[in-house]
């Protein structure tokens, strides 16, 4: 056994058998923000054999107060979060496989992303993606660990298909857009996000090693006001997702190709199918505009008052507007209809 795991193996709750199971496990971390960074790092340090990280965004200065895998060099290089995380994680543990995917999780790609993993950790920053994950994990019978953190309050819950309640047993329908507080509007305590992610990974390790101590409760924590509340949640027989087998979010009815990026002055345009753009060719095409950068993972250019990031899957983020019409026009004009 690799001596790096000695303190974990000597722990009676994990032991040799538990460590072997962790090394043979695969985990998908969806989103590489504050929760995803901490969760991915703990999973990689614990020796989980394959950690797949999915994130659609690039590292920004406003991320650094809580997203522990990133630094100022990543901001300067405008690196995608998944790639910056992969580099750091591989230096932490070279014996595990890090599979970084720079994509937006959507109905058309979520099943291939979760196929082959034993467990999913929720590191998303939006409720739509969580409902999609709930559908996908029920469909494939894969456990996932829900986590959320806003302000000083966080929540954690295991969703164990066929065993316990699913997300829609607790929250049957997503709230109307804009009705929930977000980290952008309300802020977030950086010790909260590390606490929530640590708790999520505690549950992940218990599930992966087959521990009888896996939580069956919805846990709410607030490290500022020193609160820790656990609530028993029951499965609802008439739940649309785990009771009646409906897959409303996987069926793609709730997601559109244009997304206002929550709380930020930016819009994402996703052409829905992977057009496979050549980023080198795009850079060459755009050089007549003025300043164009290509860092191996994305092309960045500036037009009028807008900054545009284009990824290899033809997805673009238009910064400087919240107007989908403007973003769509820029996309059509400079990248392709
Ligand atoms: Zn349910």
């Amino acid at each position: 056994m690799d001596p790096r795991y000695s303190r974990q193996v000597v722990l009676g709750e994990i032991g040799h058998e538990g460590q072997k199971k962790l090394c043979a496990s695969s985990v998908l971390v969806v989103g590489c923000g504050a929760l995803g960074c901490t969760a991915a790092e703990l999973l990689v340090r614990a020796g989980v054999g394959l950690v797949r990280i999915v994130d659609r965004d690039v590292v920004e200065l406003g991320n650094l107060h809580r997203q522990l895998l990133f630094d100022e060099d990543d901001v300067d290089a405008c690196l995608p979060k998944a790639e910056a995380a992969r580099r750091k994680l591989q230096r932490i543990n070279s014996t595990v496989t890090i599979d970084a995917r720079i994509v937006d999780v959507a109905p058309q790609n979520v099943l291939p992303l979760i196929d082959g993993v034993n467990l999913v950790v929720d590191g998303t920053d939006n409720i739509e993606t969580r409902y999609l994950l709930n559908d996908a994990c029920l469909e494939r019978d894969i456990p996932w660990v829900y986590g959320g953190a806003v302000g000083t309050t966080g929540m954690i819950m295991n969703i164990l298909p066929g065993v316990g309640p699913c997300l829609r047993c607790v929250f049957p329908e997503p709230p109307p857009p804009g009705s929930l507080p977000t980290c952008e509007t309300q802020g977030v305590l950086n010790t909260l996000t590390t606490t929530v992610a640590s708790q999520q990974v505690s549950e992940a390790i218990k599930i992966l090693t087959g521990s009888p101590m896996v939580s069956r409760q919805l846990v709410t924590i607030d490290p500022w006001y020193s609160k820790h509340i656990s609530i028993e949640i029951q499965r609802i027989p008439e739940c649309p997702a785990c009771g009646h087998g409906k897959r409303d979010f996987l069926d793609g009815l709730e997601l559109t190709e244009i997304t206002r990026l929550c709380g930020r002055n930016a819009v994402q345009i996703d052409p829905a199918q992977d057009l496979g753009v050549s980023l080198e060719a795009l850079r060459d095409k755009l050089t007549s505009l003025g300043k164009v950068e290509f860092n191996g993972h994305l092309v960045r250019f500036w037009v009028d008052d807008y900054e545009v990031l284009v990824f290899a899957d033809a997805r673009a983020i238009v910064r400087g507007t919240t107007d989908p019409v403007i973003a769509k026009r820029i996309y059509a004009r400079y990248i392709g209809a």
Side-chain angles (χ1 to χ4, degrees), residues 134 138 165-170 235-236 239-243:
N134 191 62
L138 288 175
C166 82
L167 184 70
R168 296 188 75 181
C169 291
V170 188
R235 202 169 160 189
I236 308 288
C239 168
C242 73

Side-chain angles (χ1 to χ4, degrees), residues 68-277:
L68 303 189
L69 291 174
F70 309 137
D71 58 37
E72 292 176 7
D73 289 345
D74 300 324
V75 178
D76 292 342
C78 197
L79 274 187
K81 289 182 177 180
E83 172 60 16
R86 187 193 64 77
R87 292 181 189 184
K88 181 64 68 70
L89 293 168
Q90 205 69 83
R91 287 202 299 275
I92 290 170
N93 190 344
S94 61
T95 69
V96 302
T97 303
I98 313 293
D99 179 10
R101 308 286 184 94
I102 307 164
V103 294
D104 189 19
V105 176
Q108 62 273 15
N109 67 12
V110 65
L111 291 177
L113 286 171
I114 71 169
D115 278 339
V117 303
N118 304 105
L119 180 130
V120 176
V121 174
D122 169 22
T124 61
D125 61 355
N126 67 88
I127 198 75
E128 292 87 356
T129 309
R130 292 191 178 105
Y131 280 87
L132 178 61
L133 278 185
N134 191 62
D135 274 3
C137 288
L138 288 175
E139 188 65 22
R140 288 291 193 264
D141 202 17
I142 294 171
W144 69 286
V145 187
Y146 161 76
V150 177
T152 63
T153 307
M155 276 199 270
I156 304 102
M157 187 174 89
N158 289 327
I159 287 151
L160 310 167
V163 177
C166 82
L167 184 70
R168 296 188 75 181
C169 291
V170 188
F171 310 107
E173 298 296 333
S179 63
L180 286 184
T182 69
C183 292
E184 284 74 14
T185 58
Q186 195 175 326
V188 66
L189 187 69
N190 68 2
T191 59
L192 172 70
T193 45
T194 51
T195 303
V196 169
S198 288
Q199 190 64 46
Q200 286 180 284
V201 175
S202 300
E203 293 303 328
I205 290 174
K206 287 189 277 181
I207 294 167
L208 294 171
T209 58
S211 166
M213 296 307 295
V214 171
S215 167
R216 300 291 180 85
Q217 296 171 317
L218 173 67
V219 177
T220 303
I221 55 170
D222 190 317
W224 192 268
Y225 296 98
S226 305
K227 285 183 191 154
H228 190 287
I229 302 164
S230 298
I231 310 165
E232 289 290 343
I233 301 285
Q234 299 300 324
R235 202 169 160 189
I236 308 288
E238 59 272 23
C239 168
C242 73
H244 293 302
K246 288 178 72 183
R247 302 288 180 257
D248 296 337
F249 300 88
L250 198 54
D251 291 341
L253 303 175
E254 306 292 330
L255 295 169
T256 58
E257 67 168 26
I258 300 172
T259 319
R260 285 185 193 83
L261 293 176
C262 175
R264 288 164 48 193
N265 192 23
V267 176
Q268 172 176 276
I269 305 279
D270 190 338
Q273 75 263 41
D274 187 347
L275 302 175
V277 292

Side-chain angles (χ1 to χ4, degrees), residues 277-293:
V277 292
S278 160
L279 292 178
E280 287 92 340
L282 182 65
R283 175 198 53 196
D284 295 344
K285 185 176 94 172
L286 293 171
T287 42
S288 60
L289 283 179
K291 192 178 171 196
V292 178
E293 293 175 1

